[in-house]
Amino acid sequence: MEKAKNILTSGKFVRAILWLAGVLAIVAVCMVLFLGRRGGDNVDAGGASSGSRENIVVVNVTAGDTLSKLLSEQGLGHNDINAIANVLKTDAGINGLRADRDKIEFLRDADGAVPSKITVVPGPWRRVELTCDAGGKWQCNAIDIERDTRLVYRQGEILDGDSFYLAGMRADIPAGILAEVYDLLAFEMDFERDVRAGQKFSVVYEENYRDGEKIDNGSVIVVSFDALRGNVKMYRFRKSDKTVGYYDPNGNGAIKSLKRTPINNAKITSSFTTRRKHPVLGFTRAHKGVDFRAPTGTPIPAAGAGRVIARGFNRGHGNFVKIRHNGSFETLYAHMSKFAKNVKVGTVVKQGQIIGYSGSTGLSTGPHLHYEIIKDGKHVNPMTVKLPAINNLDAANKEKFLEYRKTLDAAIEQMADKSGSFIQM
Ligand SMILES: [Zn+2]
């Protein structure tokens, strides 16, 4: 109170008021600018927001949302909800909503009216518009949005003490692309033993643009790595039947039916050997698999597609899963802390599907994955066994592939010469 009185009695008070008025005026101008922008961007605004001019509400689908729940929240009745669900399924192949991916836009002709147009947005490249005709019938129109795809080239080098991951990040390769590259190379390389300082690598991948603005990354197109055993190179190629695969420069399938290292980036702590001193038992005994360091709870993916033929516990392996992949190959995963929920004996699994979680059950000194490959009933070294390719090319496709590869190689040469250049597809 004392202070206030002092201000009141001095000329400072007038100056303070003027200063405050000035600040408020600036804030007001900023708010007008900001709100004006928001009005225009309304369709892309996050969360549920309502626009003043367009009368559009955008709802981001989150966990627990269902189509009927979201439609009902927007004032649609039972019959409309059923009709919309049906037409989405039959005309657009949309069976349900995906949390944290799909968006729905609701357009109203007037405040408080039932939406006259509903647009399901499953991603940046597709819009599915639903409108109700005069007879009350819902119609569906799926629009694929044209994307401008650029091929970009990145190259890097492994430095002393580096991992491929670090070197890739330094080469400005996006994390998602880098993970895919790693998965591809893992079919041919052992990152533990094949990677040394001085090795060079390069990646060509797609960037997708819309109206000149980058929206997302597409596929990995070419990967090249100068490994110890020689250059590993893979090209993405679409066969005449539209299926896509990766092939080596000679057109041999690069995707193998099994992975040498089921867990990405896992360090090998013990190799395959016919004689070794067992860390727990103390006496010399063969190590019929490879041990990968993996903290308890690390998800363990199936090394290849197949059928689970054993899931259980024994004294040595602890909790283990065994998968039969084809007539000659089986894989075994041991010391798991727990199994994946839906993986049982008889379950058909895909390559990369999580079958369990690492642990230290059975005869084990610490959490790790013990991984075995059994070929024709005999244990083989996962790091050196020759693995069959999933799909090789027939003569006609091979010829097309070799032509395509030449074109790509020429393009890569151009891009490698000029850093930052790209090729418009
Ligand atoms: Zn082991």
Side-chain angles (χ1 to χ4, degrees):
M1 281 306 274
E2 273 305 301
K3 226 175 182 180
K5 251 184 216 163
N6 286 340
I7 289 172
L8 271 174
T9 53
S10 75
K12 273 183 193 162
F13 178 64
V14 177
R15 282 205 293 275
I17 290 286
L18 284 174
W19 178 81
L20 193 65
V23 168
L24 283 174
I26 291 167
V27 167
V29 168
C30 289
M31 277 183 73
V32 166
L33 288 174
F34 177 66
L35 289 175
R37 276 175 51 110
R38 270 185 71 85
D41 290 338
N42 197 38
V43 170
D44 289 319
S49 56
S50 63
S52 46
R53 266 186 304 130
E54 298 98 331
N55 242 316
I56 292 177
V57 174
V58 181
V59 176
N60 286 325
V61 177
T62 55
D65 284 345
T66 60
L67 183 68
S68 59
K69 172 178 167 255
L70 296 181
L71 295 181
S72 138
E73 279 170 5
Q74 295 297 322
L76 288 142
H78 236 313
N79 290 346
D80 283 328
I81 292 173
N82 284 340
I84 290 168
N86 277 335
V87 78
L88 270 178
K89 196 171 171 178
T90 52
D91 292 10
I94 293 176
N95 274 316
L97 298 176
R98 300 164 307 166
D100 304 321
R101 294 180 68 176
D102 297 343
K103 270 194 307 191
I104 307 183
E105 298 167 8
F106 296 92
L107 180 98
R108 285 179 172 78
D109 299 330
D111 278 333
V114 173
S116 57
K117 183 169 151 192
I118 299 168
T119 308
V120 178
V121 187
W125 308 111
R126 197 165 188 230
R127 294 174 64 81
V128 180
E129 296 180 348
L130 297 146
T131 44
C132 195
D133 67 15
K137 197 165 174 277
W138 284 91
Q139 315 238 320
C140 168
N141 182 28
I143 303 159
D144 285 316
I145 294 161
E146 185 113 7
R147 58 185 99 182
D148 300 322
T149 300
R150 296 176 181 182
L151 289 191
V152 295
Y153 173 86
R154 298 278 184 270
Q155 58 178 334
E157 185 179 340
I158 306 285
L159 299 183
D160 234 354
D162 233 358
S163 68
F164 171 65
Y165 182 76
L166 283 176
M169 295 298 274
R170 211 170 41 241
D172 203 20
I173 299 171
I177 294 289
L178 201 51
E180 274 180 53
V181 168
Y182 192 101
D183 277 348
L184 285 170
L185 290 174
F187 284 109
E188 277 303 326
M189 285 174 52
D190 166 5
F191 278 90
E192 193 58 28
R193 296 188 309 182
D194 284 349
V195 175
R196 296 284 184 281
Q199 290 171 337
K200 292 196 168 74
F201 57 89
S202 66
V203 177
V204 175
Y205 63 92
E206 296 170 330
E207 283 183 347
N208 295 317
Y209 285 73
R210 191 174 65 199
D211 303 326
E213 189 192 342
K214 189 188 158 186
I215 303 295
D216 58 11
N217 296 311
S219 306
V220 173
I221 304 297
V222 188
V223 184
S224 170
F225 195 108
D226 290 328
L228 270 196
R229 278 182 284 175
N231 179 262
V232 176
K233 201 164 187 182
M234 300 177 186
Y235 299 78
R236 186 177 194 267
F237 175 68
R238 191 185 297 271
K239 292 197 290 189
S240 41
D241 67 0
K242 304 282 180 221
T243 56
V244 167
Y246 288 86
Y247 301 89
D248 75 11
N250 298 317
N252 302 313
I255 308 288
K256 302 298 191 283
S257 58
L258 292 180
K259 290 184 115 174
R260 297 185 194 280
T261 54
I263 302 178
N264 270 355
N265 253 326
K267 199 175 171 61
I268 294 174
T269 50
S270 179
S271 298
F272 180 92
T273 162
T274 45
R275 294 177 68 80
R276 77 153 183 179
K277 196 172 174 186
H278 193 277
V280 175
L281 298 174
F283 53 81
T284 302
R285 165 181 140 153
H287 187 227
K288 292 176 171 177
V290 175
D291 292 344
F292 297 98
R293 182 178 295 158
T296 301
T298 306
I300 300 173
R307 183 182 294 272
V308 175
I309 54 166
R311 194 198 84 165
F313 179 92
N314 69 36
R315 208 174 77 87
H317 287 138
N319 293 323
F320 72 98
V321 168
K322 196 173 186 182
I323 300 173
R324 178 169 294 145
H325 300 282
N326 52 33
S328 58
F329 281 100
E330 292 170 0
T331 53
L332 183 143
Y333 314 76
H335 311 308
M336 288 179 176
S337 56
K338 60 175 183 179
F339 303 114
K341 245 193 289 172
N342 44 7
V343 170
K344 302 185 173 77
V345 172
T347 304
V348 173
V349 294
K350 290 185 203 153
Q351 187 168 55
Q353 184 178 334
I354 305 304
I355 53 169
Y357 301 88
S358 68
S360 192
T361 54
L363 285 178
S364 165
T365 50
H368 72 283
L369 165 67
H370 168 93
Y371 171 58
E372 296 176 1
I373 298 184
I374 301 130
K375 188 186 177 193
D376 299 326
K378 268 197 213 125
H379 285 85
V380 292
N381 185 347
M383 292 305 142
T384 54
V385 63
K386 196 167 169 357
L387 296 169
I390 280 180
N391 58 354
N392 282 311
L393 298 171
D394 58 26
N397 275 302
K398 196 169 217 167
E399 199 176 317
K400 269 174 73 185
F401 169 81
L402 293 174
E403 277 303 309
Y404 170 74
R405 198 207 77 192
K406 265 190 227 161
T407 316
L408 260 183
D409 281 343
I412 290 169
E413 228 172 273
Q414 275 185 25
M415 289 190 283
D417 283 349
K418 280 191 208 132
S419 82
S421 65
F422 60 85
I423 286 183
Q424 190 85 43
M425 293 297 280

